[in-house]
Amino acid sequence: MGPPRAPQHGPTTQALPEAPAGLGAADAYWAGFYTSEQRAAVPDEPSAFARWAASRLDAAALLVDIGTGTARDALWFSRQGYEVLGLDYAAPAIDQASRAAACERLSATFEVFDLYQVDQVGAMGMRLVGLTHSPVLYGRFLIHALQDHGRRALWRMAGMALQSGGSLYLEFRTGKDAGARHEFGEHFRKFLDTVTVVDEIEERGGKIEYRHEDHGLAPYRGEDPHVCRLVSTWKQ
Ligand SMILES: C[S@@+](CC[C@H](N)C(=O)[O-])C[C@H]1O[C@@H](n2cnc3c(N)ncnc32)[C@H](O)[C@@H]1O
């Protein structure tokens, strides 16, 4: 038997009622993951995507790691001197990341944040657009972890936060990864073709600055997923 499946959200963009601490009650999969033995199988070292992104980034910008998970990338960016805000709707992940940052005396901060919560998305967009330096929004393996309305919320937040500058960095499993074997087993994943994601961003005013998809970009143990890297801006 594989790990528990994350229950499906309905098509509405409304928050689930009575959601505790920003985590939708129906989304216990990730909270469970970060308190399970599986967490230890996530590498501590930064992803290849993080290293690639760092070679292109504005070091003065706040790096907002959305869906930070174990914070392997967020903590690494912080060690490189970036100002980092890590976000995730799984409270255990945020607790662990906050403790890890404190242990290393890193300045990175972490907050529970849920892309399914309309009010949180709007508030974060407003907060980020007010920064002196436009932020970098970063989401590694986030897109395929989101239901459609979470993805739409991400575009909305990016449109708000990046209207004066900054960029959105994404790496995600594409539709070509749908039938592949996955090291962490099967649970909810949304496998989208790159063109679908690109169309959604462009329909909402984003401009694609970089697009590359292939195998070989994010190998992990016996997996070599087909992934896409996208960089998008929103400044008119
Ligand atoms: C596949 S993991 C990627 C973790 C990390 N970025 C990495 O590359 O190792 C997807 C992450 O997205 C988070 N996530 C999923 N849905 C979310 C939502 N609605 N709001 C915020 N985070 C979410 C999960 O809790 C999980 O940590």
Side-chain angles (χ1 to χ4, degrees):
M1 200 170 79
R5 295 181 72 82
Q8 306 285 304
H9 288 270
T12 171
T13 56
Q14 295 304 306
L16 293 167
E18 310 288 331
L23 176 65
D27 286 285
Y29 170 77
W30 284 109
F33 179 88
Y34 294 115
T35 52
S36 77
E37 288 176 3
Q38 281 194 307
R39 186 200 184 282
V42 178
D44 287 334
E45 64 264 24
S47 66
F49 182 57
R51 291 183 188 276
W52 174 82
S55 69
R56 308 172 47 108
L57 287 180
D58 171 4
L62 173 69
L63 186 131
V64 185
D65 183 9
I66 310 166
T68 191
T70 62
R72 57 185 290 209
D73 288 349
L75 293 169
W76 180 78
F77 278 118
S78 188
R79 284 180 209 115
Q80 308 312 302
Y82 288 89
E83 189 188 348
V84 173
L85 170 62
L87 304 173
D88 205 293
Y89 78 161
I94 293 303
D95 288 347
Q96 292 160 5
S98 301
R99 272 188 269 119
C103 262
E104 286 192 53
R105 298 182 186 276
L106 296 171
S107 64
T109 57
F110 296 88
E111 296 176 21
V112 173
F113 168 80
D114 186 351
L115 278 166
Y116 298 135
Q117 302 280 340
V118 176
D119 52 344
Q120 291 184 24
V121 170
M124 186 60 72
M126 291 297 290
R127 178 174 152 191
L128 295 176
V129 77
L131 298 174
T132 313
H133 273 92
S134 297
V136 172
L137 307 187
Y138 176 92
R140 177 180 180 270
F141 279 29
L142 170 70
I143 293 298
H144 60 256
L146 291 172
Q147 303 279 347
D148 292 345
H149 61 293
R151 206 173 58 253
R152 281 187 228 111
L154 177 63
W155 308 148
R156 187 164 78 87
M157 191 169 102
M160 292 172 77
L162 305 180
Q163 59 188 271
S164 305
S167 46
L168 171 66
Y169 278 70
L170 296 173
E171 183 178 68
F172 55 92
R173 297 177 186 273
T174 75
K176 289 183 186 157
D177 190 55
R181 182 185 152 275
H182 299 115
E183 287 286 343
F184 286 104
E186 300 314 312
H187 56 91
F188 173 79
R189 291 187 185 95
K190 183 103 189 178
F191 298 99
L192 294 168
D193 290 332
T194 299
V195 67
T196 304
V197 179
V198 166
D199 283 353
E200 285 188 1
I201 290 173
E202 289 180 339
E203 278 163 18
R204 287 159 180 81
K207 184 172 164 224
I208 304 296
E209 306 286 351
Y210 180 91
R211 169 182 176 169
H212 178 61
E213 56 184 316
D214 209 344
H215 293 281
L217 297 171
Y220 170 66
R221 294 187 171 174
E223 258 193 83
D224 184 9
H226 191 268
V227 302
C228 176
R229 291 178 177 179
L230 283 183
V231 180
S232 179
T233 55
W234 257 265
K235 189 177 175 186
Q236 295 307 311

